[in-house]
């Protein structure tokens, strides 16, 4: 997305500092191999649980993280540099799992990187920091599917106060009209703020909401929940004081001094081990792990260690990692496991299925010189000056996210697709697609051209109906799984993306853009028919990194799904899953906020169940 020069510059700027005091780097440092809870994955959800469970000083928790520490990793701290943490078509990074998807039939057979954070904080340390909660209908639908009224939005919204800490933007500007304070928390864990540096196009975006008010109205708060998402407004980011706020720098840091919380990095989980039976169900309270590749003198895969939980093991390894670990442990589709000579302990065809993600399409325009960030991104001296400014006082472009404005839209109610397809949105006010504005070149896998000035208007499919899978490549825990999101393989999905391209053209045709936008860039200029738009969409779309659903939650009595409403894994004892994999439907927005809220509720459920 950014130029190779910027990537090289940033890597050279990475600082190496000691890890946090609660964080161990070798199994030999652990004082014991028996804990009350073993959490697999120090990501968005895992560190919420680690914090909340260890509020009781009598509860001992171990968190196993395959990745490295985030301490001193400048791209994980400086917001604008976050995209350099994720892989491109040309290179991998040490802070990502460096997955790729299989050839996508809905995307002209293309394959591309599938980023997931592999460091403390997980993807909350490597994502693009958009922070919101999705639509209230998302939670009400989850309540209906699970039969648990506790997932209704009227109950879930209480966790905003525990989770969120609204802080001023880095430039200190007046935020009146850019968010609604009553919808937010001001004393929670994760810092959240509005943009702190202008992108130059901000005023044009907002002006368009007046000029095209009927289609793109101004939304005064984009957090969702009690506030409908539809319309265009200001990005809220998990950023505070010009630095990223992740689950590591918040939930972990705030619990870091507790002697009952231990975190072991560089530890790759190989599988769960059956530790007995209870009530006729196999118990899984033991976890086998080994050192991650390149992080210990012992080669990865040798001398595995087993750690035991006296209460429960909790998988928080994400939608890809959690599915892979379940399958390696003999929990999944029996036929698939037997094909790899893995003993089937729990036959559950739902494990690894139902993968859902938001499709990402960068619609790029040529713009007049003078305001775009592209010249800076090509010039190492300008990048250096911006980084120095950030290092000095945490202000400027580096202190800010990659976008200041975005919005959500629905298809017209009389769209022809609804003659044959039921509306997949969670509610009549929930969106079908998203629009994001950035005043520079954004095109994952394609480097910034050597010349030119660009504006990118991203559109994202928010309510996809395509569903994919995560499957094992082999019995080796170090072999990456086979990931097939099946992007744009349904009629609704391609129809919606087609309509999003048409809408983008209408947006930039507003008079607010007449003195700035010169022309569509590349293939966008040729999208004059539906067939041409479809070809363009299929040739350029990738992922916005929001995989969910591979361990879907359903009602306790359901004959499908992977977890029950209390996050316990169906057909097992002593095992829960708490991460984005449990969402049976993808949230209507960026997924870190919903994952945080779900993890907060899971912590309450676990503590109540165990009498903590």
């Amino acid at each position: 997305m950014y130029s190779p020069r910027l990537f090289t510059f940033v890597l050279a700027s990475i600082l190496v500092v000691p890890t946090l005091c609660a964080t161990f780097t070798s199994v030999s440092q652990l004082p014991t191999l028996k804990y009350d809870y073993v959490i697999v994955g120090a990501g968005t959800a895992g560190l919420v649980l680690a914090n909340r469970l260890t509020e009781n000083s009598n509860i001992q928790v171990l968190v196993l993280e395959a990745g490295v520490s985030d301490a001193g990793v400048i791209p994980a701290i400086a917001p604008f540099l976050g995209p350099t943490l994720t892989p491109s078509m040309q290179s991998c990074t040490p802070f990502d799992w460096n997955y790729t998807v299989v050839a996508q039939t809905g995307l002209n057979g293309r394959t591309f990187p599938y980023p997931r954070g592999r460091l403390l904080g997980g993807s909350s340390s490597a994502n693009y920091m958009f922070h919101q909660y999705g639509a209230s209908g998302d939670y009400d639908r989850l309540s209906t599917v699970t039969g648990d009224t506790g997932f209704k939005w009227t109950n879930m919204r209480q966790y905003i106060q525990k989770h969120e800490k609204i802080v001023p933007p880095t430039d200190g500007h007046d935020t009146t009209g850019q968010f609604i304070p009553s919808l937010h928390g001001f004393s929670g864990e994760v810092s959240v703020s509005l943009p702190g540096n202008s992108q130059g196009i901000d005023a044009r975006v907002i002006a368009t909401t007046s000029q095209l008010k009927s289609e793109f109205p101004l939304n005064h708060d984009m957090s969702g929940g009690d506030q409908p998402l539809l319309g265009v407004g200001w990005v809220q980011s998990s950023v505070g004081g010009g630095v990223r706020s992740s689950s590591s720098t918040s939930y972990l840091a705030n619990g870091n001094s507790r002697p009952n919380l231990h975190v072991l990095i560089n530890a790759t989980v190989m599988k769960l081990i059956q530790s007995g039976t209870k009530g006729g169900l196999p118990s899984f309270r033991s976890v086998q792990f080994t050192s991650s590749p390149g992080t210990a003198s012992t080669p990865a895969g040798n001398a595995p260690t087993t750690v035991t939980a006296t209460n429960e093991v909790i998988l928080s390894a994400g939608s890809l990692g959690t599915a892979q670990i379940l399958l390696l442990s003999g929990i999944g589709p029996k036929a698939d496991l037997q094909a790899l000579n893995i003993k089937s302990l729990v036959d559950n065809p739902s494990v690894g299925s139902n993968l859902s993600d938001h499709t990402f399409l960068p619609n790029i325009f040529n713009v007049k010189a003078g305001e775009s960030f592209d010249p800076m991104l090509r010039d190492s001296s300008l990048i250096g000056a911006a980084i120095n400014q950030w290092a000095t006082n945490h202000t400027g472009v580096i202190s800010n996210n990659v976008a200041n404005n975005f919005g959500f839209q629905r298809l017209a109610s009389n769209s022809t697709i609804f003659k044959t397809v039921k509306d997949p949105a969670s509610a009549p006010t929930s969106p079908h697609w998203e629009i994001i504005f950035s005043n520079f070149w954004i095109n994952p896998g394609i480097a910034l051209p050597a010349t030119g000035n660009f504006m990118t208007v991203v559109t994202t499919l928010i309510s996809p109906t395509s569903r994919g899978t995560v499957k094992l490549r082999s019995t080796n825990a170090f072999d990456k799984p086979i990931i097939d999101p099946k992007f744009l393989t349904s009629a609704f999905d391609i129809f919606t993306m087609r309509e999003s391209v048409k809408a983008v053209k209408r947006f930039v045709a507003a008079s607010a853009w007449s003195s700035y936008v010169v022309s569509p860039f590349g293939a966008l200029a040729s999208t004059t028919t539906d067939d041409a738009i479809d070809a363009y969409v299929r040739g350029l779309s990738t992922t916005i990194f929001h995989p969910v659903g591979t361990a879907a939650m359903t009602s306790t009595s359901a004959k499908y799904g992977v977890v029950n409403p209390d996050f316990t894994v169906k057909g097992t004892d002593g095992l829960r899953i708490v991460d984005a994999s449990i969402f049976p439907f993808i949230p209507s927005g960026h997924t870190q906020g919903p994952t945080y809220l779900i993890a907060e509720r899971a912590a309450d459920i676990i503590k109540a169940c165990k009498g903590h």
Side-chain angles (χ1 to χ4, degrees):
M1 181 168 95
Y2 293 163
S3 68
R5 182 177 298 175
L6 174 60
F7 181 75
T8 301
F9 187 93
V10 169
L11 285 182
S13 303
I14 291 175
L15 304 178
V16 178
V17 299
T19 56
L20 300 172
C21 62
T23 304
F24 302 119
T25 59
S26 170
V27 64
S28 63
Q29 298 171 322
L30 293 178
T32 180
L33 292 177
K34 183 174 289 187
Y35 291 81
D36 294 301
Y37 294 93
V38 176
I39 300 171
V40 178
T44 307
L47 292 183
V48 174
L49 296 173
N51 178 297
R52 298 309 186 197
L53 293 177
T54 56
E55 289 174 337
N56 183 335
S57 61
N58 294 318
I59 300 300
Q60 303 289 320
V61 172
L62 172 66
V63 184
L64 296 173
E65 169 55 42
V68 298
S69 173
D70 60 332
V73 179
I74 295 299
I77 302 171
F80 192 78
L81 301 182
T84 63
L85 293 167
T86 53
S88 68
M89 293 293 288
Q90 293 79 32
S91 61
C92 298
T93 88
F95 310 109
D96 195 275
W97 284 91
N98 297 305
Y99 295 128
T100 57
V101 298
V102 301
Q104 293 298 286
T105 57
L107 302 178
N108 296 345
R110 291 183 296 117
T111 184
F112 43 81
Y114 205 58
R116 306 309 300 149
R118 190 172 180 270
L119 71 170
L120 282 179
S123 291
S124 76
S125 291
N127 63 17
Y128 288 13
M129 296 157 285
F130 284 52
H131 190 275
Q132 54 182 173
Y133 301 111
S136 60
D138 300 342
Y139 300 89
D140 295 342
R141 179 166 61 179
L142 180 60
S143 173
T144 299
V145 169
T146 62
D148 185 344
T149 59
F151 286 112
K152 282 184 174 294
W153 176 248
T154 51
N155 182 65
M156 291 298 298
R157 64 186 176 193
Q158 66 178 301
Y159 293 111
I160 292 176
Q161 301 300 319
K162 296 184 67 174
H163 159 69
E164 184 181 61
K165 180 171 63 179
I166 292 287
V167 299
T170 56
D171 63 0
H173 76 267
D174 182 1
T175 58
T176 302
Q178 296 183 355
F179 83 121
I180 302 172
S182 62
L183 301 178
H184 294 275
F186 290 81
S187 58
E189 302 284 339
V190 173
S191 295
V192 176
S193 62
L194 287 153
N197 186 77
S198 173
Q199 283 218 355
I201 59 172
D202 304 355
R204 290 187 174 92
V205 173
I206 299 304
T208 307
T209 65
S210 295
Q211 295 168 2
L212 301 179
K213 187 175 182 178
S214 62
E215 183 174 9
F216 302 101
L218 178 64
N219 187 327
H220 291 283
D221 194 302
M222 297 302 299
S223 60
D226 286 323
Q227 174 76 356
L229 285 168
L230 301 179
V232 174
W234 295 89
V235 171
Q236 298 167 21
S237 300
S238 48
V239 172
V243 300
R244 177 192 293 267
S245 184
S246 68
S247 64
S248 175
T249 64
S250 58
Y251 285 94
L252 177 59
N254 294 337
N256 201 35
S257 62
R258 298 173 188 166
N260 56 325
L261 173 58
H262 296 162
V263 178
L264 177 63
I265 60 174
N266 309 327
T268 296
V269 169
M270 303 173 72
K271 62 181 179 179
L272 311 177
I273 298 176
Q274 184 176 351
S275 52
T277 59
K278 184 176 180 180
L281 299 177
S283 299
F284 293 91
R285 288 185 170 86
S286 294
V287 180
Q288 187 180 86
F289 67 94
T290 189
S291 56
S292 298
T295 60
S297 57
T298 302
N302 289 353
T305 300
T306 299
V307 64
T308 299
T310 56
N311 281 339
E312 291 175 334
V313 170
I314 304 172
L315 287 180
S316 296
S319 294
L320 309 182
T322 286
Q324 183 180 23
I325 292 169
L326 288 172
L327 294 168
L328 288 168
S329 307
I331 304 172
K334 184 175 182 179
D336 290 356
L337 298 176
Q338 290 179 333
L340 291 172
N341 293 318
I342 296 175
K343 182 180 180 181
S344 176
L345 300 177
V346 179
D347 181 13
N348 187 334
S350 295
V351 173
S353 67
N354 194 51
L355 174 62
S356 182
D357 194 5
H358 291 146
T359 307
F360 173 101
L361 175 66
N363 303 286
I364 301 175
F365 294 85
N366 297 299
V367 297
K368 292 182 180 178
E371 294 183 31
S372 168
F373 289 174
D374 297 304
M376 180 197 72
L377 296 175
R378 296 188 186 99
D379 189 328
S380 59
S381 63
L382 293 177
I383 296 168
I387 292 177
N388 287 337
Q389 177 183 347
W390 174 81
T392 301
N393 55 26
H394 289 170
T395 63
V397 62
I398 303 299
S399 72
N400 205 46
N401 206 333
V402 298
N404 286 354
N405 303 103
F406 73 143
F408 292 87
Q409 305 293 315
R410 283 181 61 83
L411 297 175
S413 59
N414 61 352
S415 294
T416 56
I417 192 66
F418 294 132
K419 294 180 180 179
T420 56
V421 176
K422 182 181 178 181
D423 185 352
S426 62
T429 57
S430 299
H432 295 129
W433 61 277
E434 177 185 14
I435 188 169
I436 307 171
F437 306 92
S438 293
N439 199 19
F440 57 97
W441 173 277
I442 295 182
N443 195 342
I446 302 178
L448 170 66
T451 60
N453 292 271
F454 308 99
M455 176 182 74
T456 305
V457 184
V458 170
T459 54
T460 302
L461 178 63
I462 290 297
S463 58
T465 60
S466 300
R467 295 292 184 268
T469 58
V470 175
K471 297 185 176 183
L472 292 180
R473 191 175 302 275
S474 74
T475 59
N476 186 343
F478 296 101
D479 282 349
K480 295 178 174 61
I482 301 170
I483 304 166
D484 185 6
K486 299 188 186 300
F487 286 120
L488 301 186
T489 52
S490 74
F492 176 85
D493 290 3
I494 188 63
F495 181 94
T496 304
M497 291 304 289
R498 181 195 310 146
E499 293 303 307
S500 78
V501 174
K502 295 177 183 178
V504 164
K505 291 181 175 183
R506 292 193 295 270
F507 193 95
V508 300
S511 59
W513 303 97
S514 61
S515 63
Y516 190 56
V517 172
V518 176
S519 63
F521 174 85
L524 181 59
S526 302
T527 53
T528 56
T529 66
D530 284 358
D531 286 346
I533 295 174
D534 290 355
Y536 162 77
V537 168
R538 295 191 189 279
L540 193 57
S541 297
T542 57
T543 171
I544 202 170
F545 327 148
H546 294 164
V548 307
T550 55
M553 179 182 287
T554 58
S555 67
T556 303
S557 61
K559 302 302 181 183
Y560 67 98
V562 180
V563 301
N564 296 309
D566 61 357
F567 298 88
T568 56
V569 176
K570 295 175 183 292
T572 73
D573 168 64
L575 178 62
R576 295 187 203 244
I577 297 173
V578 183
D579 57 30
S581 70
I582 66 94
F583 288 113
F585 296 93
I586 193 165
S588 301
H590 296 257
T591 51
Q592 73 161 338
T595 302
Y596 275 126
L597 296 194
I598 285 291
E600 287 279 13
R601 179 158 197 254
D604 279 356
I605 288 173
I606 294 168
K607 289 192 287 187
C609 176
K610 298 297 182 179
H612 302 329

